[in-house]
Amino acid sequence: MMSLPPSLGSPYPWLRELKSEERGLYLIHLLLTCANHVAAGSLENANIALEQISLLASPDGDTMQRISAYFTEALADRILKAWPGLHKALNSTKITLISEEILVQKLFFELFPFLKVTFVLTNQAIVEAMEGEKMVHIIDLNAAEPAQWIALIQVLSARPEGPPHLRITGVHQQKEVLDQMAYRLTEEAEKLDIPFQFNPVISKLDNLDFEKLRVKTGEALAISSVLQLHTLLASDEEHLRKKSPLASKNMNGVHISRPLQINQSTLGELLEKDVVNGHSQSPDSSSSSPISANASAKMDSFLNALWGLTPKVMVITEQDSNHNGSTLMERLLEALYSYAALFDCLESTVPRTSLERLKLEKMLFGEEIKNIVACEGAERKERHEKLEKWIQRLDLAGFGNVPLSYYGMLQSRRLLQGFGCEGYKIKEENGCVVICWQDRALFSVSAWRCKK
Amino acid sequence: MLEKMAGEALPNGIVENPLAESNPPVGKKKRNLPGTPDPEAEVIALSPKTLMATNRFLCEICGKGFQRDQNLQLHRRGHNLPWKLKQRTSKESRKRVYVCPEKNCVHHHPSRALGDLTGIKKHFCRKHGEKKWKCDKCSKRYAVQSDWKAHSKTCGTREYKCDCGTIFSRRDSFITHRAFCDALAEETARVNAVSNINNTVAGNISYHFMGTPLGPSMGQHFPSIFKPIPSNDEIINPTTRGLSLWTIGQGTQGHESMGNNSLHGIHQQGSVSSGTIFADPLVSCSNPPPSDYQLNWVFGTKLSSSNAEALTSTSVPPSDVKEAGSQLLSVPSLYSTQHQSHQAPSANMSATALLQKAAQIGATSTDASFLGSFGLKCNESQIEDGNKLCGLYGSNPTLANLGNNVESSAGGLLEMRPAKRRHTHNEDSAGGQTRDFLGVGVQPICHPSSINGWI
């Protein structure tokens, strides 16, 4: 298969001879090996694996090369966190441009159909719930993309009974984004002569002051949460850590330094918890018990507060993958599959030379991967969970599922068809919609109302 | 009794009509209600000349004029001239109100006197004076200089301009006008017909809602701006109705316009997709479901694969990122046809497929031929490097120190737990390098059967 050319410089010249498929498989193995080492704390070995990978991975290459680049960066970041001083120093001069962040969100909206489908379904659910209502108030928990509400304004203005009095409250961390939203939406509403008001709320979700939302009596409330709720699962690590006997930080990777009888089974269990970074178990979902959603105080109180607003309809869109496993390997494996699918989407629709694609992969997916792999505790915001867990959670919080209408699904299907790429699929699951790439479920959309 | 005259009053025909005798209370001045002068105030009637007087006190050095003697005195200080300020005698201060000398004026009567000297001056100039100040941007004239200044500050700065050319300074009148402006309706219709995604909406997602489903039930609910004039029906491309600007493009424009490849593509696509829900207006005008709009409108459609050739500028050059951003927004399909060009040579398996294959390989072999192939390569390269590499995989049975770990190592790659466990057991030999990868030697705890555990 491969003959060894006379070696010129590279210590592993034969690596270059690898064909794409073999290289891809090799990369997978290297990645997993490296992850194993990281999880086990053998940093020397992890280092060697990283070096190997660096010869093959590349953010400009094929899908597997790109994914490997970001995963190894994440693994390296994780390793580095064992030296907090070093980690902080290396990250101290990072520049984050808001304009770039905004651009990346736009790119996500444009290059993928996911958000568009989400918006179509959300809007349809809202329109159906608000039939006959004269005063409609919508709370958008991540008001970044005006397109969604522009479309809704259109639809509402065309209602047979005439448009309602519409208020939209947008929550976002960046003022500029909200300003732009306000401008676009107000302009649109004026054009269509709809009584409209936009209220910006500059806030993070985890310390959102519900008073600021100004929900009034007599208005029909709709809440839209697109890829936001999972961040609330990252919370309150401190008290968990103190209680847990596992917490122990150390630098050289030898992780267990407290007196415990070392027998195989307990060791094995302990090893399940990832202790490299000294964090104990966060409110993760464990794959072994898919049914019980782990408690998270912050999430509970947030959902309670939402329930307290008595919305007529609440539409939740979330990533439909389990990236909240308690161990690194669990998460890494799941993430490998999910992001492989996402990167495949881009590979099928955007050329490799595209700078936009590069930005999207790096600044959106790369950061998510880094968060999933390298962070723990309150820092790890990207705690995606499967739809069934969300269903449980929302059910417990007092919400009843509202099946998404057939009409909405139809529209979504057509949108996907129009998108022109065969890999995207939609399926219905218990009244919720799951958007897939080939067979891999990626995003779920579900609608809820308050149960009494 | 006669009151003393006001400081500025000139001795020509001043009449005083004290309304009351008593002194006003000392202390903070309070404002009267407008139009109701203090009944105890002293009424002063100044002559027109006084009211319009400008600078009667002149500086002898530079000739600058001042309206008041005090100001002149202060000015004289600057020339190092002797100066003297008259103290205002505060004891007899009494509220003064002023009447307008113009007989036919409302404010001529003491009961409608104005309480402010500057006010009465301005009033007199505005109402009974000549408008000497003219705005240079527009044609407005003013008698009072301060009015003129105030106007020219805002003149032209905030304007609303309708497409028909009418200008408004007030927002509400502008909006009202637009609702009924004929020119605007024509413009709308024209854009409909052309159906161009034109990046006139630079930076905006050009979600111009153009297509009103001309169904009768829909029509009435639209503001008049959007009601297409019946004659425009023919102009409007049938398939554009209910379709977003993007998805239009049936033949009415070539794709050369702004690289609107999407249109071109959709041109062919459109005929496919427009058949059904997306408003074939000729067919089902009656009640196209309104929510269609959002689909067509906002989210448009991407190109079908049939038109990749049309796309030449598919990868936006880096320097154009910003524009690309806006272009992106308006022409999302810039990126859509890539799937057409996803030539995927057979070597380019998708990552998903690769993962599945890796899982299969891992599952079916302990000493995977796959791994073995790499192991073999190790032999050919330098030994020590080979050691390292093989150390990772440990699949080379010929390396003595790894010999007994073929199985476990192959398994070890693919399994979480055994690997971890092995490592813990070897804590004491943690210093080792290549030997340590596989937890060499000690106790291979290998569960080949659970390879499937993680994939």
Side-chain angles (χ1 to χ4, degrees):
Chain A
M1 196 168 24
M2 280 165 277
S3 56
L4 192 64
S7 51
L8 300 159
S10 159
Y12 310 109
W14 57 275
L15 284 178
R16 284 207 211 109
E17 305 284 317
L18 284 177
K19 281 192 278 187
S20 161
E21 178 180 328
E22 283 156 351
R23 179 179 57 209
L25 290 171
Y26 194 17
L27 274 171
I28 295 173
H29 282 281
L30 281 172
L31 258 182
L32 293 170
T33 308
C34 181
N36 264 316
H37 288 315
V38 172
S42 343
L43 303 184
E44 290 280 353
N45 303 335
N47 181 51
I48 294 173
L50 284 176
E51 196 164 346
Q52 297 296 309
I53 297 176
S54 71
L55 295 169
L56 296 174
S58 159
D60 308 317
D62 67 24
T63 326
M64 204 59 226
Q65 284 180 295
R66 291 179 186 227
I67 295 177
S68 307
Y70 296 114
F71 271 87
T72 46
E73 190 179 350
L75 283 168
D77 198 56
R78 187 182 178 95
I79 295 174
L80 200 60
K81 285 195 169 169
W83 284 264
L86 200 56
H87 187 263
K88 287 194 179 94
L90 277 176
N91 288 315
S92 59
T93 56
K94 253 199 236 173
I95 306 177
T96 40
L97 290 174
I98 290 193
S99 58
E100 287 292 284
E101 289 178 5
I102 296 179
L103 175 68
V104 160
Q105 293 299 322
K106 282 280 186 214
L107 289 174
F108 183 64
F109 173 71
E110 292 289 341
L111 298 183
F112 288 109
F114 305 127
L115 283 187
K116 301 180 188 184
V117 169
T118 287
F119 293 161
V120 163
L121 290 169
T122 305
N123 288 352
Q124 184 62 25
I126 293 180
V127 164
E128 286 171 10
M130 297 301 176
E131 213 176 294
E133 293 286 349
K134 297 275 188 275
M135 310 268 300
V136 174
H137 181 191
I138 300 182
I139 297 179
D140 184 351
L141 294 182
N142 183 31
E145 184 50 65
Q148 175 176 13
W149 305 120
I150 291 181
L152 184 68
I153 290 176
Q154 296 306 319
V155 178
L156 287 177
S157 78
R159 288 203 308 189
E161 70 256 42
H165 193 292
L166 182 64
R167 275 175 68 209
I168 297 186
T169 299
V171 181
H172 198 92
Q173 288 187 47
Q174 285 150 357
K175 180 175 183 303
E176 297 85 345
V177 174
L178 287 177
D179 288 342
Q180 172 72 350
M181 260 228 142
Y183 177 74
R184 298 287 316 285
L185 295 184
T186 315
E187 181 185 57
E188 194 60 35
E190 268 178 32
K191 267 199 234 162
L192 293 180
D193 205 25
I194 296 190
F196 175 74
Q197 200 185 22
F198 182 82
N199 300 319
V201 175
I202 305 172
S203 170
K204 285 203 231 180
L205 271 197
D206 50 16
N207 55 7
L208 179 62
D209 178 7
F210 278 73
E211 296 295 314
K212 288 206 195 137
L213 299 175
R214 304 239 199 103
V215 177
K216 302 184 188 154
T217 50
E219 59 185 17
L221 181 65
I223 302 179
S224 162
S225 163
V226 176
L227 307 178
Q228 295 303 302
L229 273 192
H230 59 261
T231 58
L232 292 168
L233 290 172
S235 63
D236 306 317
E237 291 316 300
E238 296 312 305
H239 74 267
L240 279 178
R241 259 179 57 177
K242 287 186 191 112
K243 286 191 201 152
S244 162
L246 295 178
S248 65
K249 256 193 219 226
N250 61 63
M251 312 254 279
N252 59 7
V254 179
H255 37 264
I256 305 196
S257 60
R258 63 199 155 358
L260 251 198
Q261 62 281 33
I262 309 226
N263 63 50
Q264 199 165 338
S265 55
T266 43
L267 251 192
E269 285 158 21
L270 291 171
L271 282 172
E272 293 282 88
K273 327 290 185 209
D274 198 319
V275 205
V276 171
N277 290 343
H279 288 270
S280 67
Q281 190 169 12
S282 34
D284 301 326
S285 55
S286 58
S287 49
S288 54
S289 58
I291 304 303
S292 60
N294 294 17
S296 157
K298 201 171 261 194
M299 173 65 75
D300 289 341
S301 69
F302 193 82
L303 288 180
N304 268 332
L306 287 181
W307 189 90
L309 299 176
T310 51
K312 214 163 177 213
V313 69
M314 176 167 76
V315 189
I316 311 264
T317 304
E318 279 292 325
Q319 288 93 336
D320 190 22
S321 312
N322 180 20
H323 295 153
N324 202 13
S326 47
T327 64
L328 171 65
M329 284 312 287
E330 263 183 86
R331 297 201 302 273
L332 191 124
L333 285 164
E334 269 295 300
L336 256 184
Y337 278 103
S338 313
Y339 287 96
L342 286 167
F343 276 67
D344 281 340
C345 295
L346 286 177
E347 176 78 1
S348 305
T349 51
V350 184
R352 285 189 193 168
T353 48
S354 156
L355 183 66
E356 273 66 31
R357 175 179 165 186
L358 192 68
K359 282 191 179 182
L360 189 55
E361 287 172 351
K362 176 174 172 64
M363 293 167 60
L364 186 65
F365 297 145
E367 292 299 310
E368 285 179 6
I369 292 170
K370 206 186 276 189
N371 193 264
I372 294 172
V373 167
C375 300
E376 293 288 349
E379 246 193 342
R380 175 151 58 90
K381 300 273 181 202
E382 302 294 340
R383 293 179 183 255
H384 313 150
E385 292 194 336
K386 296 290 287 177
L387 177 60
E388 60 196 1
K389 287 226 151 150
W390 286 111
I391 292 180
Q392 270 189 318
R393 200 171 262 130
L394 289 163
D395 200 61
L396 279 174
F399 291 96
N401 182 259
V402 175
L404 294 170
S405 76
Y406 176 69
Y407 186 66
M409 287 215 39
L410 207 54
Q411 282 185 297
S412 318
R413 283 218 169 86
R414 302 223 178 256
L415 195 151
L416 285 185
Q417 280 167 10
F419 205 73
C421 185
E422 307 261 314
Y424 294 109
K425 300 187 169 30
I426 271 197
K427 62 179 182 187
E428 187 260 352
E429 208 175 278
N430 303 330
C432 314
V433 167
V434 179
I435 313 169
C436 312
W437 168 260
Q438 310 295 1
D439 295 327
R440 177 86 192 169
L442 291 175
F443 295 94
S444 70
V445 184
S446 54
W448 304 84
R449 61 175 174 82
C450 275
K451 274 193 299 203
K452 278 303 165 191
Chain B
M1 63 186 181
L2 272 184
E3 299 290 337
K4 119 173 149 34
M5 295 182 190
E8 296 169 74
L10 281 187
N12 49 356
I14 297 173
V15 175
E16 289 183 341
N17 304 315
L19 288 180
E21 303 281 344
S22 58
N23 284 337
V26 205
K28 194 165 166 210
K29 286 193 176 186
K30 52 181 167 69
R31 270 188 132 199
N32 286 330
L33 293 172
T36 54
D38 186 348
E40 300 168 9
E42 175 187 357
V43 180
I44 316 252
L46 300 170
S47 71
K49 198 161 170 202
T50 317
L51 288 177
M52 302 233 345
T54 47
N55 304 329
R56 291 175 293 110
F57 297 91
L58 297 174
C59 170
E60 64 221 37
I61 307 289
C62 59
K64 194 167 153 97
F66 299 90
Q67 290 196 30
R68 297 185 186 175
D69 187 54
Q70 285 103 309
N71 299 347
L72 172 62
Q73 296 306 316
L74 290 170
H75 166 81
R76 278 166 64 101
R77 286 193 306 184
H79 294 309
N80 296 320
L81 288 172
W83 55 277
K84 184 166 74 169
L85 273 179
K86 282 187 271 185
Q87 290 289 358
R88 185 191 147 146
T89 48
S90 50
K91 281 184 223 126
E92 322 118 356
S93 80
R94 198 167 132 176
K95 180 99 175 81
R96 294 182 186 133
V97 295
Y98 305 90
V99 289
C100 181
E102 177 67 32
K103 288 206 179 48
N104 297 324
C105 184
V106 161
H107 294 289
H108 184 67
H109 197 274
S111 66
R112 296 294 308 276
L114 299 174
D116 184 55
L117 176 61
T118 319
I120 191 72
K121 283 176 158 184
K122 284 192 180 170
H123 155 79
F124 187 75
C125 287
R126 281 184 198 128
K127 292 291 164 49
H128 314 298
E130 174 201 335
K131 297 194 173 167
K132 292 182 284 191
W133 305 94
K134 183 189 164 319
C135 172
D136 40 18
K137 288 182 209 155
C138 65
S139 58
K140 296 184 95 161
R141 302 179 74 95
Y142 296 89
V144 179
Q145 186 184 18
S146 54
D147 292 347
W148 169 78
K149 266 194 183 171
H151 166 83
S152 46
K153 269 192 196 168
T154 60
C155 183
T157 47
R158 226 168 126 67
E159 277 179 347
Y160 301 87
K161 186 168 171 178
C162 176
D163 292 327
C164 65
T166 323
I167 299 185
F168 299 87
S169 60
R170 290 179 57 120
R171 185 182 161 85
D172 42 9
S173 39
F174 172 56
I175 292 180
T176 312
H177 164 85
R178 272 213 305 183
F180 297 103
C181 179
D182 293 332
L184 195 58
E186 282 166 29
E187 175 80 22
T188 311
R190 186 161 43 86
V191 182
N192 251 341
V194 172
S195 66
N196 209 335
I197 312 187
N198 258 334
N199 331 304
T200 48
V201 225
N204 277 345
I205 305 179
S206 52
Y207 299 133
H208 274 304
F209 180 74
M210 281 310 170
T212 61
L214 299 176
S217 57
M218 304 317 300
Q220 43 198 309
H221 297 291
F222 278 89
S224 51
I225 309 178
F226 292 104
K227 187 175 278 177
I229 306 163
S231 60
N232 284 339
D233 276 359
E234 297 93 276
I235 305 175
I236 297 176
N237 202 312
T239 40
T240 69
R241 288 203 284 161
L243 284 178
S244 77
L245 282 179
W246 295 341
T247 63
I248 303 176
Q250 293 232 346
T252 48
Q253 79 245 352
H255 47 280
E256 67 276 1
S257 51
M258 352 242 156
N260 280 339
N261 312 310
S262 56
L263 294 182
H264 180 64
I266 294 173
H267 169 62
Q268 308 186 358
Q269 170 74 1
S271 48
V272 172
S273 65
S274 66
T276 48
I277 286 193
F278 291 158
D280 188 349
L282 302 176
V283 172
S284 54
C285 261
S286 49
N287 257 323
S291 346
D292 254 352
Y293 297 148
Q294 58 176 353
L295 247 199
N296 312 330
W297 234 73
V298 176
F299 307 121
T301 60
K302 273 188 135 196
L303 278 183
S304 68
S305 51
S306 51
N307 290 294
E309 302 82 15
L311 292 182
T312 49
S313 60
T314 50
S315 71
V316 183
S319 57
D320 283 348
V321 168
K322 286 219 171 76
E323 293 156 74
S326 61
Q327 277 184 20
L328 261 188
L329 303 181
S330 54
V331 186
S333 41
L334 266 182
Y335 292 98
S336 64
T337 59
Q338 297 334 309
H339 63 268
Q340 154 105 1
S341 53
H342 83 224
Q343 46 318 10
S346 53
N348 267 349
M349 283 179 77
S350 72
T352 318
L354 278 172
L355 283 170
Q356 281 161 0
K357 187 161 183 182
Q360 287 165 11
I361 292 178
T364 55
S365 63
T366 51
D367 186 12
S369 56
F370 168 73
L371 296 175
S373 69
F374 288 106
L376 287 173
K377 295 297 165 296
C378 290
N379 270 339
E380 295 169 13
S381 50
Q382 303 161 23
I383 299 294
E384 129 197 313
D385 295 330
N387 273 352
K388 279 194 186 163
L389 260 186
C390 294
L392 285 178
Y393 293 88
S395 57
N396 192 328
T398 66
L399 294 175
N401 54 351
L402 304 178
N404 54 346
N405 283 310
V406 172
E407 251 191 302
S408 56
S409 52
L413 267 188
L414 309 176
E415 291 179 45
M416 279 196 287
R417 296 169 203 192
K420 283 187 189 169
R421 289 191 185 140
R422 226 177 293 119
H423 284 281
T424 15
H425 283 289
N426 289 323
E427 270 176 40
D428 35 351
S429 57
Q433 294 167 28
T434 45
R435 285 182 61 100
D436 211 31
F437 289 146
L438 315 163
V440 165
V442 181
Q443 287 151 32
I445 312 161
C446 163
H447 308 277
S449 58
S450 56
I451 286 180
N452 280 325
W454 57 270
I455 280 190

